[in-house]
Amino acid sequence: QVQLVESGGGLVQPGGSLRLSCAASGSIFSINAMGWYRQAPEKQRELVAMIIEGSRTNYADSVKGRFTISRDNAKNTVYLQMNSLKPEDTAVYYCNAVINPSTRSPSYNYWGQGTQVTVSS
């Protein structure tokens, strides 16, 4: 089974920085996409940043210029460097990956447990 393990969440003051990590483990033939969603209280889950097919990136307009997504293919790990954090960035951040477990299986959408990011004075 594929597992996504997240780390790096926590409490930070406005203007501060955090770096989230998500490592995929288990049966992995290929990773088609990997990145981050977030969900604030009483809000819909939204895309934050994603790396698609190894190089193409997609960012939410609200984080462009502040967040940077990167991926270490050898480690099956994706990172989200979050700078200039704002209170509205407060949310549970979920790692997401589209992974093909084997050549005999279709790709599947996997989710991490979520990590809390709180931006507050």
Side-chain angles (χ1 to χ4, degrees), residues 2 26-32 76 99-105 107:
V2 173
S27 180
I28 300 172
F29 175 73
S30 64
I31 299 177
N32 301 313
N76 291 326
I99 294 174
N100 187 356
S102 73
T103 58
R104 298 182 181 272
S105 302
S107 296

Side-chain angles (χ1 to χ4, degrees), residues 12-84:
V12 66
Q13 294 184 349
S17 298
L18 284 173
R19 186 176 186 242
L20 305 183
S21 300
C22 175
S25 62
S27 180
I28 300 172
F29 175 73
S30 64
I31 299 177
N32 301 313
M34 197 169 183
W36 298 89
Y37 287 72
R38 69 185 181 188
Q39 188 167 20
E42 300 183 0
K43 301 292 184 180
Q44 294 186 29
R45 187 174 298 186
E46 65 174 349
L47 174 70
V48 178
M50 188 71 62
I51 295 180
I52 303 170
E53 296 180 346
S55 61
R56 182 179 179 182
T57 59
N58 188 21
Y59 292 92
D61 288 341
S62 60
V63 308
K64 287 181 179 177
R66 300 188 297 120
F67 292 8
T68 302
I69 189 168
S70 61
R71 178 176 162 184
D72 185 337
N73 293 332
K75 299 288 187 181
N76 291 326
T77 298
V78 68
Y79 306 94
L80 185 67
Q81 179 66 47
M82 304 186 294
N83 298 326
S84 301

